[in-house]
Structures are given as structure tokens and as C-alpha cells.
Amino acid sequence: MQRGDYLNPADMRGQCAQALKRMEEDCRALETVVRSIADFAEDKEIESEAFDGLAQQLEDYETVIEAMRIANVADRADFQSLSSLVGDEVLDGENIYCQMENAQNMKKNYQSGETMYRNYMTAAEDAFLYSYYRWKAGQYERLAENSQRMYERWREKTQKFDEIAADTGHLFKATEDMGLLIQTGMRKITGAFQNGSYLSDPGQEWRRQLKNAGIHLAIGYQDQGGDQNGPCEMWRKGSSSEREMIRDLVLSYEEYAGYSDEQIEKLLIKLNSEGCGYVAFANIIVDEYRRKEEEFEKIFGFPLFLESANGILCVNYNPLIIDLYCASDNHNRAWNQWPEQDDYDENEDFSSTIGRGTTQDDRIYRFERYMEKRGIDVSMTNIKCSTDEVYGRCKEEAQRGNRVIISTCPVRLADEEGELAQMDGGHAMAVTGLTEDGLVQVSSWGRIYYIRPQDSDYREPEKNHAGDAYVKIQSVRFQ
């Protein structure tokens, strides 16, 4: 901390709240622009060579606008982090340094007094005076010690400021480079339309860099989250090295140490049947570590991102989903045991290829246990609310910097084109956003979908073959 430094947490949180409000407005504006571009580009009544060129240009604008949206999302998350990290105490460098100097000066004065009275003690011949001088020397000694403690308390405030600076120093840096790439893209797009033709080179480096930067920051472009069928597809269709990776990962767990390739395939089929909760965990972990890939690899043992042959990054979801599943499935808290113990139930599932899924309480125990074993403090909480309150509570959790898992029964999802995906039974998903018109955006099966919590099917169990209907949410917080 420097003498001129100053931090007022209340003012900082107010500024963050204003910035978040502006960013919400910006996100809505970007969504409007994207819809307008799409409607214009898909207009079948306009046909000309120039219009075809313009449509190609608009595709590049969509790439840039998506980058703006992702950068906006990343900055919003950073403002939320900043708001939670600034503490509750005003830290005024001028006042703090003055108090430290005063404490040091007082300590020196008291030490001088102590020295003077100890000298008087040495020279005193009268027993009464000797005792008095000794008492006065001790008094000044204690005052000097109190001044030193006062100095340390004020010095701790400088350390607190430095800790806050260190904890927040990384914020907003990730979007700086992306901002430069967005500017580059805008220049390239503007200068490429000439004489009714759009002279764009599809292989221009700015597109690849922009997409890779976006994937580092948030879900976007071709990354729409993990797929519970992804591990099984990789096992069946992947390379020999990918199969070897899966084999090593599965066999590393005691419960599956002796599995044959046939048993591994059945396990991955079972994962596909019940793995939605584990995929929701994976999506949340990826969201937490997108800008901390080195830390991710150190903790989990495999890279967060992979690069394709054309140089485009993709998120390495499958090993994380498999690891979460093998480490957690069928593990339950053993009740009435002290100390608390873990119980593995090998008979929990319906068969070797069909699992029973996870309940809210399963997810709390299994996710917290998984993260604790990797030295990460995570807490999950069930949020009780009505279907009418789901959207608002999701928004509140997002404003607190928490993630949300939503589970529904039956499954009523709409994709970005409005096509419906419906089925009976329950399904858990990570919430990835909220729309202005009251929809909850989720990631499921490696795609983006939307849920309307007020859907009547969530209130009418008689319409569902399972005889149940609900929308439930859980808060996930990284400490």
C-alpha cells in the first residue's frame, strides 16, 4: 500500500452495481442487434450479388458481436468478483500512514521515558524511590508495547489492502486482448467491402484468435458445454490414444480397477443414461477455471483446452466428466457414523448400463466431496422457491457470483430456434444465462437450451409418466 492509496468498499460496490446494470443493458442491445442481423440476412425477398456479399459481411459482424457478448459476460463476472473482494473497511493510505507514524513516535517517546526511569533506578539509594522509579519504568515499557501493537494493527491494514490488490489484480486483464482483437476485426470487416463485393479471406488470423480468446473466457462459438454422451462417443469413435486415456482414467479408480474394455463401454453407456448432474458439475468447474488453465491442469491432471487441426480451441470436457463420474457415482454419506464416512453402493443403479441418476442431496455430497479431495473449498445449497420465483432467485445467485444447477421434471426445453426437446423424468443442468423475457438458459447434451420455469407442465404431475413435476435449483459457490 502506498500513502496515496484509498479504498472505500461501499463506493466500490456501488460503482460495480452501476457497471453491472450498464452491462445488462449492453447485453440486451447486442441481442437485439444479432436478431436484426439474422432477420435481415435471412430475408428471402432480397436477391442480388451485392446482397450476398453483404450477408457474408454480416456473418463476420456476428463473430465480432459474439466476442463482445463474451467479453461483456467476463467483465460482469469480474465486477461481481471485485464487489465481493473489496471487504467492508475503508482503507485510507494517508490516515493509515499517519497513524503508523504516530504510533512509532509514541513508542520512541515511551522508550525514552523507560530508559530515563531505569537510569533513575540505578542511581537511587532510597528503597522507596527505587520502587517508584521501577514502577514508572514498567509503566512506560507497557505504553511502548501498546504503541507497538497499535502500529502493528495499522500495518495490518496496509497488508489487507495489498491482499485485496493481489486478489483483484488479475481482473479485467483477460478482456484487454480481446478488445484489441475486436477492434482488429472491425477494421478488417469495414475495409473488405468494395464495389458491391465482400473481399473477405475466411482464413484471416483475427477470426481464429477471436474465437480462441472467446472460448478462454466463456461459453460461446462452438463451445456450448459438456455432453453426457461425449465420453461414450469418444470411446467408440475416438483415436487409440483417446481410448487409452479413458481406459487409464477409469482403471485408476478402485471401484473399476479390474474392468475390461467391454465393462468400460457399459459404464460409459450408464454414464450417458444418468450423467446429467455430473455434466452440470463439469460445466461449472470449466466456468470457474477458464482463465486459470494452468491451475486446472495441476489440480485435475489433464489440460482444460485442446487445439484442433485448424487451430481452434475446444474445451476438454470428456476426461473431466469421466473423472467426476468415476470418483463420485454411487458414493453416499454413511449416516450414523462418526467420524463421517463414505459409503459406496454398488447396487444403486438399475443395471450395468442404466443408472438411477442423482438427487439434489446426492449432488451436494458428491460434488463437495470431489472438490474437497482436490483441495478446493466449494459449497452447495438447495434453494427452496416456487416456480414463479426461480428466475429471480437465479438472477440473485448470479449477482452474488454463484453458479446455479437447475433440475426439472419433466424435461421441457427449447433450443435457440424454438425447437422443443421434451421427455419425461428428471434432468439436471448448469444455468448459463438469463434472457430478458424470463427464460433460463442452460447447457444440456452439449447444446444451449431455454427453460420457462412457469411452464404449466412443471406444476401438473398427472401429465408426467413419473408422477412428479418440479423445478428445483441449487447454488454453487467457490470459496
Side-chain angles (χ1 to χ4, degrees):
M1 185 181 198
Q2 302 298 318
R3 196 176 192 110
D5 291 334
Y6 180 83
L7 172 63
N8 187 318
D11 289 349
M12 184 68 74
R13 277 192 282 272
Q15 292 167 7
C16 289
Q18 292 176 2
L20 288 168
K21 183 178 179 180
R22 288 196 298 270
M23 286 181 173
E24 287 181 5
E25 294 171 354
D26 289 344
C27 278
R28 289 195 290 269
L30 289 172
E31 289 171 3
T32 300
V33 172
V34 168
R35 285 195 297 269
S36 299
I37 288 175
D39 291 342
F40 179 72
E42 294 170 4
D43 191 336
K44 304 300 182 183
E45 296 183 2
I46 307 175
E47 293 185 5
S48 70
E49 184 177 338
F51 182 76
D52 291 341
L54 180 59
Q56 294 175 24
Q57 186 181 34
L58 292 177
E59 287 184 13
D60 278 346
Y61 274 122
E62 287 181 332
T63 298
V64 171
I65 291 170
E66 174 67 357
M68 292 177 179
R69 183 196 68 80
I70 291 172
N72 203 337
V73 168
D75 280 343
R76 284 167 61 189
D78 282 349
F79 272 112
Q80 289 167 346
S81 296
L82 179 61
S83 182
S84 65
L85 290 170
V86 292
D88 300 306
E89 182 180 8
V90 174
L91 299 174
D92 182 349
E94 182 63 37
N95 179 52
I96 290 171
Y97 274 87
C98 282
Q99 295 294 343
M100 289 168 63
E101 290 164 359
N102 288 339
Q104 285 180 317
N105 291 333
M106 290 169 64
K107 177 184 175 182
K108 289 178 182 178
N109 291 335
Y110 291 138
Q111 286 175 331
S112 296
E114 178 192 357
T115 300
M116 180 182 68
Y117 280 105
R118 292 202 184 278
N119 290 335
Y120 289 165
M121 283 171 55
T122 303
E125 296 179 356
D126 183 273
F128 175 78
L129 286 175
Y130 179 88
S131 297
Y132 173 73
Y133 293 147
R134 181 180 178 183
W135 173 74
K136 289 294 290 184
Q139 187 180 45
Y140 276 99
E141 181 184 19
R142 288 189 293 275
L143 288 169
E145 290 172 351
N146 285 338
S147 295
Q148 178 62 31
R149 284 193 289 270
M150 185 181 297
Y151 171 83
E152 291 297 333
R153 284 197 292 272
W154 285 104
R155 190 173 65 85
E156 286 172 2
K157 294 180 187 296
T158 69
Q159 293 174 334
K160 184 175 183 180
F161 183 93
D162 291 340
E163 289 171 1
I164 292 173
D167 289 341
T168 58
H170 68 283
L171 300 178
F172 308 107
K173 289 185 177 179
T175 52
E176 288 180 3
D177 292 340
M178 197 164 191
L180 295 174
L181 290 169
I182 289 171
Q183 293 176 24
T184 298
M186 291 296 291
R187 287 196 302 271
K188 296 286 187 179
I189 295 170
T190 304
F193 201 92
Q194 300 173 9
N195 301 321
S197 298
Y198 185 54
L199 307 175
S200 173
D201 176 9
Q204 283 184 3
E205 183 67 8
W206 68 267
R207 289 188 189 83
R208 186 189 68 81
Q209 291 178 339
L210 201 57
K211 290 180 179 180
N212 286 350
I215 291 169
H216 268 102
L217 289 177
I219 281 181
Y221 299 112
Q222 65 266 60
D223 175 26
Q224 298 187 343
D227 181 358
Q228 64 200 67
N229 191 39
C232 190
E233 286 294 296
M234 177 179 280
W235 176 260
R236 288 173 168 171
K237 301 178 182 179
S239 65
S240 58
S241 62
E242 288 172 331
R243 286 175 62 91
E244 187 63 25
M245 178 275 295
I246 294 174
R247 187 181 295 112
D248 289 344
L249 195 51
V250 172
L251 298 181
S252 69
Y253 284 91
E254 181 181 354
E255 296 86 352
Y256 314 107
Y259 268 34
S260 64
D261 282 2
E262 181 181 357
Q263 288 174 305
I264 291 175
E265 181 162 345
K266 287 182 178 180
L267 180 71
L268 299 178
I269 293 171
K270 182 158 70 78
L271 163 58
N272 183 34
S273 78
E274 66 167 345
C276 55
Y278 302 106
V279 174
F281 295 162
N283 288 338
I284 287 171
I285 291 171
V286 166
D287 186 46
E288 174 67 17
Y289 284 94
R290 275 188 195 270
R291 285 176 274 177
K292 300 177 283 189
E293 52 261 40
E294 290 182 4
E295 184 180 349
F296 176 91
E297 187 165 359
K298 182 178 179 181
I299 293 170
F300 298 97
F302 40 84
L304 179 56
F305 299 108
L306 298 175
E307 189 172 311
S308 65
N310 61 1
I312 300 295
L313 291 180
C314 62
V315 180
N316 196 19
Y317 284 108
N318 288 334
L320 181 58
I321 294 169
I322 295 169
D323 193 51
L324 275 159
Y325 187 67
C326 291
S328 307
D329 193 50
N330 297 12
H331 284 267
N332 303 291
R333 181 182 288 107
W335 296 105
N336 301 321
Q337 296 288 330
W338 185 261
E340 182 180 287
Q341 295 182 10
D342 178 71
D343 178 41
Y344 178 75
D345 183 3
E346 61 182 9
N347 298 313
E348 178 179 284
D349 296 317
F350 302 119
S351 72
S352 62
T353 56
I354 300 176
R356 75 158 174 85
T358 57
T359 66
Q360 280 193 310
D361 289 339
D362 288 338
R363 291 193 286 274
I364 291 176
Y365 173 68
R366 293 175 183 180
F367 191 40
E368 289 183 352
R369 173 179 175 270
Y370 178 83
M371 300 303 280
E372 182 183 3
K373 285 183 173 293
R374 284 147 186 82
I376 305 165
D377 188 6
V378 174
S379 62
M380 285 186 68
T381 307
N382 293 334
I383 298 177
K384 293 184 179 180
C385 59
S386 68
T387 53
D388 292 334
E389 297 171 325
V390 166
Y391 181 92
R393 294 302 298 272
C394 286
K395 188 171 184 178
E396 289 174 10
E397 291 303 311
Q399 290 170 343
R400 294 189 182 106
N402 300 336
R403 279 82 172 183
V404 175
I405 291 177
I406 187 169
S407 50
T408 71
C409 182
V411 181
R412 298 290 184 264
L413 304 175
D415 65 16
E416 292 177 308
E417 283 73 44
E419 294 294 324
L420 298 179
Q422 303 186 10
M423 66 181 194
D424 287 334
H427 190 49
M429 299 150 281
V431 173
T432 56
L434 300 168
T435 70
E436 189 178 0
D437 56 350
L439 300 181
V440 177
Q441 184 188 81
V442 297
S443 171
S444 179
W445 299 298
R447 296 183 62 189
I448 295 299
Y449 289 98
Y450 297 88
I451 296 172
R452 187 175 296 281
Q454 300 88 347
D455 192 312
S456 62
D457 285 351
Y458 296 136
R459 310 182 194 194
E460 301 173 357
E462 65 276 6
K463 290 187 176 182
N464 181 17
H465 294 177
D468 200 1
Y470 58 77
V471 179
K472 300 177 182 179
I473 57 175
Q474 295 175 285
S475 170
V476 182
R477 182 169 187 81
F478 286 75
Q479 303 299 332

